[in-house]
Amino acid sequence: MPSGVLADAGELLRALAAPVRIAIVLQLRAADRCVHELVDELDVAQPLISQHLRVLKTAGVVQGERRGREVVYRLVDDHLAHIVVDAVAHVQEGK
């Protein structure tokens, strides 16, 4: 396996490592959402949601599409949601 691929995979996993980012991925798995919807669902301040979305966007996990005055975010693909869902399921099985 080329070291560049492993490094990129490590960066992706680091981007998914924060609890708020995991929660965002789970929300986006259910439906595309704009920032204010994520703020309402997760009860997290808007600047913090925006910061975490920026990390996820930089890592290629989410994409944003401007619709009028809002940006609607969605997951880039289902592989990323599976990683998060499997990690959460694994932790729940251990408890």
Side-chain angles (χ1 to χ4, degrees), residues 3-94:
S3 62
V5 171
L6 296 175
D8 290 348
E11 289 298 317
L12 175 62
L13 292 174
R14 268 190 286 286
L16 294 172
V20 172
R21 292 195 287 268
I22 291 170
I24 289 171
V25 169
L26 292 173
Q27 287 292 313
L28 295 178
R29 178 177 174 253
D32 298 352
R33 303 197 190 275
C34 57
V35 172
H36 75 84
E37 291 171 317
L38 291 168
V39 167
D40 292 345
E41 288 292 324
L42 302 176
D43 196 28
V44 176
Q46 183 273 325
L48 190 56
I49 292 288
S50 294
Q51 179 183 8
H52 285 295
L53 283 168
R54 191 169 26 262
V55 171
L56 292 171
K57 190 173 178 181
T58 299
V61 175
V62 302
Q63 289 180 329
E65 179 184 324
R66 182 161 293 283
R67 294 185 189 160
R69 292 178 28 190
E70 297 182 324
V71 177
V72 177
Y73 289 91
R74 67 174 185 83
L75 292 176
V76 170
D77 63 43
D78 287 337
H79 292 106
L80 303 166
H82 290 294
I83 292 169
V84 171
V85 169
D86 287 348
V88 170
H90 176 75
V91 169
Q92 288 176 327
E93 289 170 1

